[in-house]
Amino acid sequence: MTINEFLNEMVDVLQTEEDLNMDTVLSSLAEWDSLSIMATMAFLEKNFNVKTTMKDFREMKTIGDIASKAGL
Amino acid sequence: MMLFSSDQFYIVTGASSGIGEQTALLLNELGASVVAIARNKVRLEHLKQKCKYPENMYIEVKDLTSEITEISSFIKSLCKKFGKFSGMAYCAGVSCVKPLQLVDYGVMQDAFNINYFVPMLMTKALLDRRNNKGNGTSLVFVSSLDAQICTRGQSVYSGTKAALSASVKAISKEVSGAGIRLNSVLPSMIKTQMTEDYSKLYNVSEELQKDKYPWGWGEPLDVANLIVFLLSDKSKFISGQNYIIDSGGVI
């Protein structure tokens, strides 16, 4: 998955109307709540075979942090 | 009295007859814009002709079970056309009266497709933040009294409706934070094509069920009134409920 494909997928995962980039700050998104964290966890596991916990997400600040978790 | 405004768009499925048709007509009469979905084009066109504000009645001819896995793109295309939705009245459904001996996987699939899988997938698509108006959005599902009070021959039908009513409760908790409400209504026998077919087949009648339903069988409008109330802001404190509407038969 390219970075662009990843960003497009994340738009759907978060059901957001904002344009996302690697520097987008998660806490700035109205959509960033516990349900979207669960959706992101499922997305990472399904597409990258990466298992995460809620604790991992507390340390992530930007969309780029999620991308690096995915190994991108 | 206008309970809605024309910039509030509601999806009504099963809109060509019975409870769905009455719900579409009533919503339209009370000022809402309605996207009426059903398979029968002629009946949908008739609905548009007889409604009070035809300019606010949009018809979509569609068999919802034909491409179940494509439901989310169907909803997306509707949002492109009409904008974000204020809610949905899911009134499509089939009856399935068969003793268990006559039930097989195919019978169950047919009933679950339209009575459970399609409403679940439509709900999932509509609850995408990009497809609904957020706070105040309301979804109402036509379940059945059979979800709670079960009779012979209704194992599959009861199963589909009980599943729907239970899921509505769970989903209402998932989206309460967004101010979105979901409820289901559980009617007893209502005078529709579906119950007419059923009563002919099984030789039941309003007269024979007098002791069960003191005021006889209901009219589609009786149920539509409850559905429209639950869609409107008048019910803004109500969510996750399963409402029995049966002339006080089951207490």
Side-chain angles (χ1 to χ4, degrees):
Chain A
M1 193 180 289
T2 67
I3 296 287
N4 263 340
E5 285 165 345
F6 171 80
L7 290 173
N8 283 337
E9 291 282 340
M10 281 308 294
V11 167
D12 279 336
V13 170
L14 300 180
Q15 302 179 0
T16 181
E17 283 161 309
E18 312 275 335
D19 287 326
L20 299 181
N21 60 57
M22 297 297 263
D23 298 324
T24 305
V25 174
L26 296 169
S27 60
S28 73
L29 296 167
E31 293 82 8
W32 188 247
D33 59 14
S34 58
L35 272 185
S36 43
I37 291 176
M38 282 168 71
T40 308
M41 289 166 105
F43 168 71
L44 288 175
E45 181 162 4
K46 188 176 168 199
N47 292 277
F48 302 97
N49 206 18
V50 170
K51 280 198 168 69
T52 49
T53 62
M54 280 290 178
K55 191 167 164 276
D56 295 324
F57 282 88
R58 275 202 287 274
E59 287 152 18
M60 295 184 204
K61 300 276 177 276
T62 63
I63 291 288
D65 293 341
I66 300 176
S68 14
K69 203 81 194 167
L72 292 172
Chain B
M1 180 184 60
M2 285 296 185
L3 210 48
F4 302 92
S5 69
S6 61
D7 61 2
Q8 289 178 288
F9 281 77
Y10 290 88
I11 290 174
V12 179
T13 67
S16 65
S17 67
I19 294 169
E21 179 184 29
Q22 288 304 317
T23 301
L25 288 171
L26 185 58
L27 271 174
N28 175 272
E29 187 186 329
L30 295 174
S33 287
V34 174
V35 178
I37 303 174
R39 288 169 298 182
N40 191 319
K41 188 172 182 219
V42 177
R43 291 196 58 104
L44 280 180
E45 279 165 354
H46 186 56
L47 174 78
K48 191 171 167 76
Q49 278 163 17
K50 69 177 171 186
C51 72
K52 195 163 177 192
Y53 304 107
E55 69 277 17
N56 296 338
M57 181 69 80
Y58 303 88
I59 61 176
E60 291 283 331
V61 182
K62 169 107 181 148
D63 178 353
L64 292 165
T65 59
S66 68
E67 298 158 302
I68 288 192
T69 51
E70 298 302 315
I71 291 251
S72 77
S73 43
F74 172 61
I75 296 289
K76 225 182 216 174
S77 72
L78 290 182
C79 288
K80 256 202 182 123
K81 227 156 136 185
F82 302 107
K84 294 183 175 190
F85 283 97
S86 295
M88 169 170 78
Y90 191 89
C91 309
V94 290
S95 81
C96 172
V97 188
K98 281 183 165 56
L100 189 62
Q101 282 83 350
L102 296 180
V103 170
D104 58 28
Y105 185 44
V107 164
M108 289 191 280
Q109 260 181 331
D110 287 346
F112 267 93
N113 274 344
I114 191 70
N115 290 3
Y116 184 75
F117 296 131
V118 171
M120 285 294 282
L121 292 168
M122 285 186 80
T123 301
K124 179 184 169 185
L126 274 172
L127 291 180
D128 185 317
R129 293 181 183 91
R130 294 164 291 183
N131 297 340
N132 69 68
K133 287 207 174 149
N135 195 20
T137 300
S138 173
L139 283 66
V140 180
F141 301 81
V142 175
S143 178
S144 167
L145 184 60
D146 291 276
Q148 291 186 13
I149 309 298
C150 302
T151 44
R152 283 187 291 181
Q154 302 276 32
S155 60
V156 175
Y157 184 71
S158 290
T160 65
K161 295 301 194 178
L164 182 63
S165 279
S167 293
V168 161
K169 292 187 191 184
I171 300 166
S172 77
K173 290 195 169 178
E174 288 185 21
V175 296
S176 62
I180 300 175
R181 302 183 295 108
L182 292 91
N183 293 283
S184 69
V185 299
L186 284 61
S188 57
M189 290 293 269
I190 303 296
K191 292 170 194 160
T192 64
Q193 193 60 51
M194 190 173 106
T195 50
E196 198 184 316
D197 297 344
Y198 166 78
S199 56
K200 273 192 197 135
L201 196 57
Y202 292 92
N203 199 28
V204 291
S205 68
E206 199 175 358
E207 200 48 47
L208 284 171
Q209 293 197 321
K210 257 281 169 319
D211 52 341
K212 213 165 156 188
Y213 304 116
W215 303 332
W217 292 357
E219 302 288 342
L221 184 58
D222 294 328
V223 184
N225 276 316
L226 177 59
I227 293 172
V228 170
F229 164 71
L230 289 170
L231 289 175
S232 79
D233 274 349
K234 299 276 181 203
S235 60
K236 67 182 171 59
F237 207 53
I238 301 174
S239 189
Q241 295 300 315
N242 299 164
Y243 282 100
I244 289 177
I245 170 163
D246 73 337
S247 77
V250 175
I251 294 170

